Amino acid sequence: MKNRHDIIVARATPAGVGAVAMVRVSGKGVFGLVDCLLKKPVSNAESHTAYFRALWDEEGLVDEALLTVFKAPHGYTGDDTVEISTHGSPYIVDRLIQALCRQGARPADAGEFTLRAFLNGKLDLAQAEAVADLISSESAASHKAALGQLRGGISSEISLLRTRLIDFAALIELELDFSEEDVEFAKRDELIASVTETLDKVSTLLQTFAHGNAVKEGVQVVFAGRPNAGKSTLFNLLLQEERAIVSDIAGTTRDALEDVLMIEGMRYRLIDTAGIREATDTIEKLGIERTYKYMQGSAVVLYVADVSGTKQQELTADLRALSDMATQVWVLGNKTDLVESFDETAWSEAAKAGGAGGFMGISGKNAGDRQRLRDYLHSHTAFKAVLGDQTLITNQRHFHAFLKAENALQRVLEAIETGISKEMLAFDLREALAALGEVTGEITTEDLLGSIFGKFCIGK
Ligand SMILES: Nc1nc2c(ncn2[C@@H]2O[C@H](COP(=O)(O)OP(=O)(O)OP(=O)(O)O)[C@@H](O)[C@H]2O)c(=O)[nH]1
Ligand SMILES: [Mg+2]
């Protein structure tokens, strides 16, 4: 990590031409540095005030700009900061940044402004990560989850529980110092209550990860089924475009095709596949292997069956062959327009017998069925809860830290119950505290910070 006392500079708005571009400069001494480019200084300015100024470098006038001044400990980073809004020309921005660097600033690393905000205690780690999520949020649901976390969602609750456990940990360490005398400073029933409460909270948060991840990455939905069942037809119907090639030749789709569908602020990643069958050539075989891979990684499999060309027993058998897959499978009984009297109940039972979560009859030839399919998908994904006010974990790193904490807390409870050595109890408690501290950033390493902030864009 570079010197955190340097004055750093970067453009904060996207690269390219725009109406306005904003360059952010931050660090101790920044006002004096910026003054070098001005005829009228801003170093005596109050925090949170804006000034219209001409910017000058050695060659002459660079631009007329609006300068916003933030004084420590205010502003985003908590260090003295000036935000300079210029006309949005890449040439002006480059020239301005070069002029600032000649005066002693250096280009900021990715995420370095946010890293400083974290180091200055303006944000905890989970909040800093939420900033990155917020910037990249592409749906109403992911925006809401990121905003919730930025405003202190998990961190505040976890910090509170963690502080209580720290007190107990201190008492137990004390008991270890008095090990000859067999005293108990930490009241065991209170410790159990505190650990249990923390464990409940952690377990609840862990359960939200599947939802949280779906919110952040989108819900992955895979179309599978026998050749010619109509997978591509239904995929196109949902997307309302001829995205995948449809033909009556079995084995039309070979590779997997992916596209995004938004329903009520929720992002669905639809994937059309080559489906499942005995492959006759190598490329087909690769396509089918890929189908299995996608099915395993998805939240939902929409299994398309041709009700005009297959028997109900065949559907049951096909589904049973998939039963070792953890993913939920729903069956779309397609081509109902080709059968004279379609028996939805019998097909539905055949699907359930094969372990499917549900069944719906549909015709890919009927444009009116699009809405039904959309509603079916959205109502069955059961991700509605995420649109409520529940705190969600959306981050892999948090998920793994909570998993570690959960294990350690369970061992703490066992240790108290079985009365095994206090050393073990103290050890497990410390481990749980460390894991919880990893989420909020109360315990960090340089490597961890580097990997988190390195993922940010420059200028943030
Ligand atoms: N009548 C009728 N025909 C359909 C329906 N859905 C699909 N088809 C036809 O069935 C044939 C196969 O459709 P596709 O969508 O290509 O099927 P697929 O499952 O993607 O097939 P592969 O990619 O080859 O595995 C095409 O000729 C479609 O026009 C339907 O609901 N009714
Ligand atoms: Mg296809």
Side-chain angles (χ1 to χ4, degrees), residues 137-368:
S137 63
E138 288 179 3
S139 69
S142 61
H143 168 255
K144 184 166 180 165
L147 212 55
Q149 224 172 80
L150 181 60
R151 307 193 75 179
I154 34 179
S155 316
S156 50
E157 291 172 70
I158 295 305
S159 292
L160 210 74
L161 293 166
R162 188 167 172 272
T163 313
R164 289 218 319 256
L165 289 181
I166 288 176
D167 295 341
F168 280 112
L171 291 174
I172 290 185
E173 304 281 345
L174 204 62
E175 287 176 16
L176 289 178
D177 292 342
F178 287 85
S179 54
E180 320 278 272
E181 290 149 57
D182 197 27
V183 283
E184 279 193 1
F185 295 119
K187 293 220 177 65
R188 292 306 189 257
D189 51 341
E190 285 174 17
L191 176 60
I192 291 175
S194 190
V195 171
T196 310
E197 194 190 332
T198 313
L199 193 57
D200 285 350
K201 182 74 218 172
V202 168
S203 305
T204 312
L205 282 171
L206 279 170
Q207 281 159 18
T208 69
F209 182 66
H211 288 186
N213 203 40
V215 162
K216 191 165 152 187
E217 312 287 345
V219 182
Q220 183 167 310
V221 178
V222 165
F223 287 81
R226 291 192 182 189
N228 262 343
K231 301 177 291 295
S232 301
T233 304
L234 296 179
F235 176 77
N236 288 345
L237 183 70
L238 264 179
L239 291 170
Q240 271 183 309
E241 61 171 308
E242 299 304 305
R243 179 77 172 78
I245 298 172
V246 168
S247 87
D248 55 4
I249 303 164
T252 306
T253 309
R254 298 207 154 193
D255 207 343
L257 276 179
E258 184 168 338
D259 218 323
V260 170
L261 177 72
M262 300 291 295
I263 309 177
E264 290 175 18
M266 188 82 203
R267 185 184 160 90
Y268 290 91
R269 285 172 35 227
L270 305 182
I271 299 171
D272 183 24
T273 67
I276 304 163
R277 63 175 158 264
E278 290 298 319
T280 48
D281 68 57
T282 350
I283 297 177
E284 211 179 357
K285 209 164 153 186
L286 288 174
I288 293 161
E289 274 169 23
R290 198 163 278 196
T291 304
Y292 279 104
K293 225 177 74 201
Y294 275 114
M295 283 201 288
Q296 250 139 7
S298 65
V300 177
V301 171
L302 290 178
Y303 188 89
V304 184
D306 174 357
V307 295
S308 71
T310 36
K311 299 201 182 72
Q312 289 159 7
Q313 303 92 289
E314 289 173 319
L315 172 64
T316 308
D318 285 355
L319 292 171
R320 283 200 177 133
L322 299 177
S323 61
D324 52 346
M325 216 156 321
T327 321
Q328 306 176 52
V329 178
W330 304 328
V331 180
L332 301 175
N334 190 33
K335 308 197 189 181
T336 51
D337 57 295
L338 294 181
V339 287
E340 243 168 62
S341 57
F342 170 62
D343 186 350
E344 175 121 17
T345 320
W347 276 99
S348 179
E349 273 160 19
K352 296 238 168 75
F359 177 91
M360 181 172 85
I362 191 167
S363 166
K365 294 283 177 195
N366 179 6

Side-chain angles (χ1 to χ4, degrees), residues 368-382:
D369 274 356
R370 172 169 186 269
Q371 191 59 41
R372 283 179 55 232
L373 182 53
R374 227 175 108 101
D375 293 347
Y376 186 74
L377 175 64
H378 195 50
S379 61
H380 282 70
T381 23

